[in-house]
Amino acid sequence: QVQLVESGGGLVQAGGSLRLSCAASGRSFSTSAMGWFRQAPGKERDFVAAISWSGATNYADSVKGRFTISRDNAKNTVYLQMVSLKPEDTAVYYCAASRGGGAYSIKGLYDYWGQGTPVTVSS
């Protein structure tokens, strides 16, 4: 079993920045792909970013150039640095881990999920 705990969400003004963290425990973090997804009220949970076991990254078009995913295998932690935030980035952000190693954008390929951390961007 894998436990994922997100942190770092909050309220920020448009144009501001936040860094989300996801601490993982329970299995070999370094060989797992990790992803971030988000869900706005009344909408589906959508892909945001992913990082493979080797560090390859994948981003949704809506966040390219503004968000950066990274991982620290020594700390079993994945990060999502978000800059130039927009009101449309408002959502609950979820961390996910996959038994596979690729930077998947499909949520069905992720096996474990955190509880989510809310991000609100005011205009």
Side-chain angles (χ1 to χ4, degrees), residues 76-98:
N76 280 11
T77 301
V78 63
Y79 304 97
L80 185 68
Q81 178 68 51
M82 307 185 293
V83 302
S84 302
L85 283 161
K86 305 174 182 180
E88 51 264 43
D89 294 318
T90 295
V92 177
Y93 283 69
Y94 296 90
C95 174
S98 173

Side-chain angles (χ1 to χ4, degrees), residues 1-69:
Q1 190 71 10
V2 175
Q3 292 80 43
L4 302 172
V5 179
E6 303 99 333
S7 61
L11 173 64
V12 64
Q13 289 188 332
S17 302
L18 282 175
R19 188 177 80 155
L20 307 183
S21 300
C22 173
S25 62
R27 71 185 299 269
S28 181
F29 175 82
S30 63
T31 59
S32 298
M34 301 295 296
W36 286 97
F37 290 76
R38 66 186 181 187
Q39 188 167 17
K43 295 190 175 182
E44 297 287 322
R45 189 172 299 187
D46 292 330
F47 170 71
V48 175
I51 187 165
S52 73
W53 70 273
S54 63
T57 57
N58 186 15
Y59 295 95
D61 288 343
S62 60
V63 307
K64 279 181 182 176
R66 300 188 299 121
F67 291 11
T68 303
I69 189 171

